[in-house]
């Protein structure tokens, strides 16, 4: 079923600090529903309850008796249910993210979630029975009707879960219990949103405090890092409890399902082979010395330090002018880059700015970070930012708008086939960033500006590739360790530190308290092992962009076809037109060598 999925960006944004950023757009959610008490919303909830009930009545226990035409009707009815449920949850979820501290919005989201969980429980049989169809019967069924055959990809992915399926009764029980598991995610979100930090006499939320780690003034960065450590330490028991419970719950589910590893479920839902992820992970870890170690050594010299502290990792460079980018300027930069690549891309992106599809301002109580939510295929995506006018925020806009363009293009596939696995979901977003970066690089006025841009891009890529693979290793260790029993906060701290030094290299010293910084990363709680998808996406895009530079002729059409495919094709099939193959271990080196090339340029500038 459709749940409220969000695609957050990696690290941090924050509070505007009185800067005039121009006229920042806000969401207009009326394309979903006019209000929480809109008659259409009530009508849809009533329709959904009845549609789920009659669907179960018409089909439960009968899937193996249907011919291809009847099966197509069943698929279309199921898709309609997904659309309506997705529309309601998108509205409730987006409203909540605009003001997470509002009790009424939190209750409305919870009530919708509960109703939809209850209404859709009778549908659990659908995937279970579909997976019990014999292979020959299944192939013949889909072969008999081309309209039905279009959906086969979605069913193939569903059938990949077949070996791990429990009895119908247990699956229904787990479906119902899902709401309770979600409570731990809500506890995490509400705890994070409720934390307050005091830096230089100013009271800040987590976004505002993380943002200070990118300030020019070193004392400010240090004060922020130490304050983060202090507040995390005070809340460590809660965060350790959330992680212990979530990893234990996952271990129990995996054990009952017979999943061979803690990562298996994620690989299946990402539609990617374990060995492909393993090849990616190994390629990145092998490249640590060539990438992050080398880059941070350069940065250490630029900052004039003997050793860097963790609060220097995302510091701006000394030659970087602290400048504020207005919203109009950010829009123009990104739109110029999109239009230069292909005017069709600019055309798809325009309504995001003009029709209330972006919520940009930093506001008290608003969810942190940034995401693009596809809602449902008959409406349109919504983009959330916390825009503060930093050059990096321009990249965040380019990134989330890339998701938006991808989601608009893929909507033609319909509800069941539009959404891409996480590994491919980052393609258009990272590609949008790359286009924007290359355009800014072309228009840099001197070497100093080029250097700042290159360094910024390398840092973003290190944050996306190196940092996320270190995160992945941390999670692998965490889930493995939890199988041996409850973990103390110190146990989790030790696992975190074991991956940090290895990935960042010898340029760094780690302050006391840094060992708790695992506790604010939402992906560990919301979607275990999500993080490697960022590295996958970045590596994929670097390889794609290299292909674009080598042979620009006709690239745009192939690129749009890839985005339009949504989740209807496997990564092998999607990359074939570009002559690329992610299951070839050398594929990842192609992507990593692009980052290396940027570091080479930076080293040459030092010469």
């Amino acid at each position: 079923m459709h749940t409220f999925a969000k695609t957050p960006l990696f690290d941090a944004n924050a509070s505007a600090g009185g800067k005039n950023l121009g006229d920042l757009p806000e969401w207009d959610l009326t394309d979903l529903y006019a209000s929480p008490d809109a008659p259409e919303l009530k009508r849809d909830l009533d329709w959904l309850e009845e549609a789920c009930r009659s669907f179960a009545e018409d089909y439960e226990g009968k899937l193996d008796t249907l011919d291809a035409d009847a099966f197509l009707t069943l698929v279309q009815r199921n898709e309609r249910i997904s659309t309506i449920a997705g529309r309601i949850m998108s509205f409730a979820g987006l409203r909540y993210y605009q003001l997470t501290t509002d009790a009424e919005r939190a209750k409305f989201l919870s009530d919708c979630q509960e109703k939809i969980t209850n209404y859709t429980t009778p549908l659990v049989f659908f995937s279970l029975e579909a997976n019990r169809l014999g292979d020959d019967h299944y192939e013949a069924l889909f072969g008999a009707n081309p309209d039905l055959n279009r959906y086969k990809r979605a069913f193939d992915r569903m059938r990949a879960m077949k070996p791990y399926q429990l009895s119908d009764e247990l699956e229904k029980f787990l479906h119902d219990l899902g709401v309770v598991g979600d409570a731990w995610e809500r506890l995490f979100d509400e705890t994070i949103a409720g934390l307050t930090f005091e830096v230089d006499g100013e009271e800040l939320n987590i976004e505002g405090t993380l943002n200070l780690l990118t300030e020019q003034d070193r004392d400010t960065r240090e004060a922020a890092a130490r304050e983060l450590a202090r507040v995390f330490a005070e809340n460590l028991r809660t965060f350790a409890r959330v992680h212990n419970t979530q990893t234990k719950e996952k271990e129990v589910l995996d054990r009952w399902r017979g999943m061979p590893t803690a990562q298996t479920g994620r690989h299946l839902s990402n539609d990617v082979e374990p060995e492909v992820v393993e090849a990616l992970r190994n390629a990145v870890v092998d490249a640590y010395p060539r990438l992050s170690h080398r880059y941070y050594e350069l940065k250490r010299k630029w900052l004039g330090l003997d050793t860097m502290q963790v609060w220097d990792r995302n510091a701006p460079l000394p030659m970087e002018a602290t400048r504020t980018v207005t919203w109009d300027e950010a829009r123009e930069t990104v739109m110029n880059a999109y239009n230069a690549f292909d005017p069709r891309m600019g055309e798809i992106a325009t309504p995001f700015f003009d029709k209330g599809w972006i919520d940009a301002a930093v506001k008290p109580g608003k969810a942190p970070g940034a995401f693009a939510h596809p809602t449902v295929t008959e409406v349109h995506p919504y983009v959330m930012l916390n825009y503060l006018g930093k050059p990096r925020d321009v990249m965040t806009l380019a990134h989330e708008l890339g998701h938006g363009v991808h989601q608009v293009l893929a909507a033609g596939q319909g509800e069941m086939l539009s959404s891409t696995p996480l590994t491919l979901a980052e393609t258009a977003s990272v590609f949008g960033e790359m286009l924007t970066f290359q355009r800014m690089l072309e228009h840099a006025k001197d070497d100093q500006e080029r250097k700042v841009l290159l360094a910024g891009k390398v840092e973003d890529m290190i944050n996306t590739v190196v940092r996320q693979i270190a995160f992945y290793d941390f999670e692998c260790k965490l889930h493995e360790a939890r199988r041996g029993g409850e973990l103390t906060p110190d146990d989790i701290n030790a696992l975190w530190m074991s991956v940090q030094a290895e990935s960042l290299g010898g340029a760094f010293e780690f302050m006391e308290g840094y060992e708790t910084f695992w506790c604010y990363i939402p992906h560990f709680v919301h979607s275990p092992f999500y993080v490697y998808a960022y590295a996958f996406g970045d590596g994929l895009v670097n390889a794609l962009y290299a292909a674009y530079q080598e042979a620009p002729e006709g690239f745009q059409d192939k690129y749009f076809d890839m985005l339009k495919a949504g989740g209807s094709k496997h990564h092998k099939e999607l990359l074939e037109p570009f002559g690329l193959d992610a299951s070839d271990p050398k594929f990842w080196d192609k992507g990593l060598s692009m980052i290396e090339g940027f570091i080479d340029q930076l080293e040459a500038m030092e010469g």
Side-chain angles (χ1 to χ4, degrees):
M1 281 311 299
H2 194 305
T3 52
F4 183 80
K6 59 184 192 295
T7 315
L9 191 71
F10 29 90
D11 269 352
N13 316 53
S15 90
K19 288 183 282 209
N20 182 16
L21 301 170
D23 205 3
L24 294 172
E26 280 195 8
W27 277 337
D28 172 3
L29 298 178
T30 54
D31 289 347
L32 292 162
Y33 296 102
S35 69
D37 45 20
E40 293 80 3
L41 183 74
K42 184 179 179 335
R43 176 203 68 200
D44 282 356
L45 275 165
D46 294 345
W47 178 89
L48 191 66
E49 184 174 22
E50 171 51 30
C52 292
R53 192 199 55 72
S54 61
F55 184 90
E57 199 173 278
D58 294 350
Y59 295 118
E60 188 161 12
K62 304 173 194 161
L63 248 60
D64 57 355
T65 66
L66 302 177
D67 65 14
D69 295 349
F71 204 90
L72 177 63
T73 305
L74 152 119
V75 171
Q76 288 164 340
R77 277 175 68 176
N78 179 63
E79 198 164 29
R80 188 76 207 134
I81 287 170
S82 276
T83 303
I84 298 297
R87 189 178 194 129
I88 295 165
M89 282 317 295
S90 296
F91 178 69
L94 293 171
R95 242 183 112 249
Y96 169 71
Y97 281 110
Q98 278 184 301
L99 193 57
T100 58
T101 47
D102 180 53
E104 182 277 319
R105 292 183 187 220
K107 175 181 160 50
F108 180 70
L109 173 62
S110 246
D111 290 350
C112 288
Q113 183 95 57
E114 261 177 53
K115 280 181 182 150
I116 286 176
T117 300
N118 292 338
Y119 297 168
T120 55
T121 298
L123 307 184
V124 173
F125 79 89
F126 172 51
S127 57
L128 305 178
E129 281 191 38
N131 281 354
R132 279 203 293 270
L133 297 174
D135 290 345
D136 293 346
H137 177 70
Y138 171 74
E139 293 296 336
L141 191 66
F142 280 82
N145 181 323
D147 291 334
L148 176 61
N149 200 49
R150 202 175 80 73
Y151 291 98
K152 187 166 184 290
R153 182 91 194 100
F155 282 89
D156 286 347
R157 282 176 62 182
M158 199 156 85
R159 279 170 82 85
M161 280 300 291
K162 192 175 169 178
Y164 312 110
Q165 199 166 290
L166 299 168
S167 70
D168 293 14
E169 196 177 19
L170 263 177
E171 291 289 357
K172 279 183 183 162
F173 172 71
L174 289 174
H175 178 89
D176 266 1
L177 205 62
V179 181
V180 182
D182 291 348
W184 289 96
E185 295 178 24
R186 290 279 294 281
L187 172 66
F188 172 84
D189 289 346
E190 285 164 17
T191 305
I192 283 280
L195 296 179
T196 52
F197 304 83
E198 198 180 302
V199 184
D200 298 336
E202 195 185 348
E203 198 171 275
L204 298 162
N205 65 1
I206 189 158
E207 284 286 282
T209 316
L210 286 168
N211 189 57
L212 294 178
L213 297 175
T214 63
E215 283 295 317
Q216 193 67 265
D217 180 63
R218 191 167 191 232
D219 291 342
T220 306
R221 297 199 305 269
E222 177 176 354
R226 296 204 183 278
E227 179 64 356
L228 285 164
R230 183 187 72 78
V231 176
F232 291 160
E234 282 177 2
N235 292 274
L236 206 55
R237 293 218 322 261
T238 304
F239 290 122
R241 169 62 44 233
V242 168
H243 280 70
N244 267 297
T245 309
Q246 291 281 74
T247 41
K248 183 62 187 173
E249 182 189 38
K250 184 166 172 24
E251 186 272 321
V252 172
L253 286 171
D254 287 350
R255 178 158 36 88
W256 275 76
R257 291 193 181 284
M259 299 253 178
T261 71
Q263 299 83 351
T264 303
R266 175 62 64 208
H267 298 337
L268 284 167
S269 70
N270 279 346
D271 198 19
V272 66
E273 302 71 22
E275 49 278 12
V276 171
V277 179
E278 191 62 15
L280 162 67
R281 184 251 165 219
N282 293 341
V284 174
V285 172
D286 289 346
Y288 284 169
R290 304 199 306 276
L291 303 177
S292 43
H293 298 188
R294 237 173 102 209
Y295 174 73
Y296 289 129
E297 197 45 51
L298 270 176
K299 184 164 185 174
R300 183 185 67 71
K301 285 187 200 141
W302 292 332
L303 294 173
L305 299 169
D306 291 334
T307 30
M308 297 217 307
Q309 298 290 345
V310 288
W311 56 81
D312 299 316
R313 186 173 65 81
N314 283 327
L317 302 180
M319 57 279 196
E320 199 171 320
T322 305
R323 92 184 186 84
T324 301
V325 186
T326 65
W327 177 251
D328 288 344
E329 199 185 332
R331 171 180 178 162
E332 197 184 338
T333 303
V334 175
M335 289 300 287
N336 284 344
Y338 277 27
N339 279 313
F341 173 70
D342 194 303
R344 287 173 292 181
M345 200 147 146
E347 212 172 291
I348 297 167
T350 300
F352 281 85
F353 294 95
D354 299 340
K355 293 191 171 170
W357 300 2
I358 299 178
D359 198 305
V362 174
K363 289 173 284 220
K366 180 174 163 179
F371 62 75
H373 182 47
T375 74
V376 286
T377 52
E378 60 182 31
V379 186
H380 55 76
Y382 282 93
V383 163
M384 193 190 87
L385 307 168
N386 277 279
Y387 187 80
L388 287 165
K390 296 208 163 202
R392 199 162 258 167
D393 294 344
V394 181
M395 285 300 172
T396 305
L397 170 62
H399 180 104
E400 299 306 340
L401 207 54
H403 279 305
V405 167
H406 193 175
Q407 290 159 357
V408 169
L409 283 167
Q413 295 290 345
E415 208 57 40
M416 210 167 169
L417 290 166
S418 62
S419 75
T420 47
L422 291 176
T423 38
L424 300 168
E426 291 301 326
T427 310
S429 51
V430 181
F431 198 82
E433 274 188 78
M434 182 63 91
L435 292 173
T436 304
F437 162 71
Q438 295 282 5
R439 181 166 180 95
M440 288 163 81
L441 200 61
E442 271 166 42
H443 290 79
K445 54 181 186 297
D446 53 31
D447 267 1
Q448 180 138 318
E449 198 177 317
R450 279 181 65 83
K451 186 175 183 174
V452 169
L453 280 167
L454 271 170
K457 185 63 180 165
V458 169
E459 287 202 14
D460 282 346
M461 289 167 129
I462 286 174
N463 279 336
T464 310
V465 178
V466 170
R467 186 166 161 80
Q468 303 296 331
I469 289 298
F471 281 178
Y472 176 66
D473 277 356
F474 164 72
E475 280 190 279
C476 292
K477 290 180 174 190
L478 177 75
H479 285 262
E480 186 54 44
R482 181 63 182 90
R483 292 182 171 205
E486 173 96 8
L487 300 170
T488 66
D490 283 346
D491 293 335
I492 305 178
N493 292 347
L495 295 174
W496 173 255
M497 291 311 290
S498 73
V499 301
Q500 292 299 311
E502 180 193 17
S503 64
L504 294 176
F508 279 94
E509 250 178 31
F510 297 97
M511 68 167 192
E512 198 174 327
Y514 181 67
E515 66 278 0
T516 63
F517 276 45
W518 51 270
C519 66
Y520 78 92
I521 312 286
H523 302 69
F524 299 158
V525 177
H526 283 283
S527 32
F529 306 111
Y530 178 114
V531 290
Y532 75 72
Y534 285 121
F536 196 105
D538 203 88
L540 185 74
V541 166
N542 292 345
L544 265 180
Y545 197 82
Y548 171 48
Q549 285 175 313
E550 284 159 25
E553 197 57 45
F555 181 90
Q556 283 84 341
D557 287 339
K558 286 191 281 194
Y559 180 72
F560 280 106
D561 286 344
M562 176 171 79
L563 299 189
K564 281 179 189 156
S568 66
K569 292 179 177 176
H570 186 257
H571 64 78
K572 231 178 162 67
E573 210 182 332
L574 282 175
L575 289 174
E576 213 168 333
F578 303 96
L580 299 169
D581 177 8
S583 56
D584 174 3
K586 289 198 281 297
F587 169 81
W588 299 112
D589 293 330
K590 192 182 178 87
L592 294 170
S593 65
M594 185 154 195
I595 310 178
E596 235 178 310
F598 288 156
I599 301 174
D600 291 343
Q601 286 182 49
L602 285 167
E603 282 183 345
M605 284 177 166
E606 291 304 284

